[in-house]
Amino acid sequence: DSGVTQTPKHLITATGQRVTLRCSPRSGDLSVYWYQQSLDQGLQFLIQYYNGEERAKGNILERFSAQQFPDLHSELNLSSLELGDSALYFCASSPLGGSYNEQFFGPGTRLTVL
Amino acid sequence: KNEVEQSPQNLTAQEGEFITINCSYSVGISALHWLQQHPGGGIVSLFMLSSGKKKHGRLIATINIQEKHSSLHITASHPRDSAVYICAVHQGGSEKLVFGKGTKLTVNP
């Protein structure tokens, strides 16, 4: 158990809908990262927050947005869902920002868009 | 061409064999991660390294910055080592991780 929690574990929804994925980092970790894993693209970095501020942005679609709250939990909002958004979404946390920190991954949320 | 290439894509071994998984990258990096993804989907960080060699139990990771290459070795492999092993790099000073496509390892008893 990494100490990172994600809810829900599974989510099934329809095209055009909007969903919110939630991540609670390990106690004391300030950085939260969001990743998408699809069958054809593999793992891709979406976005990183550090202590409430956006720190780095990857291949995140405009239909997707994220935020990190004062209690350091983070939410990833996916809107106008398409079939291709079906994927595993992972969040990870690390104590600080920076590229020399180990990241601890949550169990993931499996999103299925029908 | 992907920035991070792993080989082999698939690997089948007998219990007890010595395993090597390779990772080559084409960009300057500040750190490299080896991750393990279990059949159930969960991801565990195995190593993070920026130079030299690290060892944890039966796992050894090495990196050669000049050659832009890293290897993950598993000694005395066991069926519970069956998983997908993923290499990921931080480009330069970037916080963004770029992932390889993974190596699926199956260890038969």
Side-chain angles (χ1 to χ4, degrees), chain A residues 31 33 35 37 40-41 43-45 48 55-59 88 90 97-103 105-107 110, chain B residues 29-31 33 35 37 40-48 50 86 90 92-101:
Chain A
S31 264
Y33 308 79
Y35 298 98
Q37 186 178 37
D40 54 342
Q41 298 284 341
L43 268 165
Q44 290 194 93
F45 167 73
Q48 179 208 358
R55 174 71 74 97
K57 212 166 186 174
N59 302 324
L88 261 172
F90 289 98
S99 54
Y100 294 99
N101 285 270
E102 182 179 1
Q103 295 184 21
F105 285 78
R110 185 175 294 277
Chain B
I29 69 165
S30 50
H33 297 250
L35 309 171
Q37 186 167 27
I43 295 176
V44 174
S45 175
L46 298 175
F47 295 102
M48 188 194 69
S50 54
I86 301 168
H90 284 284
S94 168
E95 311 227 22
K96 172 186 169 182
L97 268 179
V98 179
F99 297 87
K101 293 205 177 296

Side-chain angles (χ1 to χ4, degrees), chain A:
Chain A
D1 183 358
S2 67
V4 179
T5 60
Q6 289 187 249
T7 56
K9 197 168 180 178
H10 301 277
L11 196 47
I12 301 174
T13 188
T15 54
Q17 295 298 304
R18 173 190 166 94
V19 297
T20 297
L21 312 183
R22 183 188 168 105
C23 170
S24 293
R26 293 187 325 154
S27 177
D29 283 0
L30 298 178
S31 264
V32 170
Y33 308 79
W34 284 100
Y35 298 98
Q36 179 193 58
Q37 186 178 37
S38 59
L39 279 174
D40 54 342
Q41 298 284 341
L43 268 165
Q44 290 194 93
F45 167 73
L46 294 178
I47 197 163
Q48 179 208 358
Y49 278 82
Y50 175 75
N51 203 21
E53 301 286 327
E54 183 184 304
R55 174 71 74 97
K57 212 166 186 174
N59 302 324
I60 187 165
L61 299 172
E62 284 193 17
R63 300 183 286 109
F64 296 0
S65 65
Q67 54 185 325
Q68 186 179 27
F69 294 86
D71 67 352
L72 300 177
H73 92 270
S74 179
E75 292 180 356
L76 179 67
N77 301 296
L78 315 176
S79 61
S80 303
L81 285 168
E82 301 175 0
L83 295 177
D85 297 327
S86 295
L88 261 172
Y89 290 84
F90 289 98
C91 84
S93 74
S94 70
L96 299 171
S99 54
Y100 294 99
N101 285 270
E102 182 179 1
Q103 295 184 21
F104 298 87
F105 285 78
T109 293
R110 185 175 294 277
L111 173 66
T112 303
V113 182
L114 301 175

Side-chain angles (χ1 to χ4, degrees), chain B residues 65-95:
Chain B
I65 296 292
Q66 286 75 29
E67 294 187 3
K68 295 187 174 168
H69 181 269
S70 175
S71 292
L72 176 69
H73 305 286
I74 305 174
T75 61
S77 59
H78 190 276
R80 66 174 174 265
D81 297 326
S82 298
V84 175
Y85 292 84
I86 301 168
C87 170
V89 302
H90 284 284
Q91 289 180 260
S94 168
E95 311 227 22

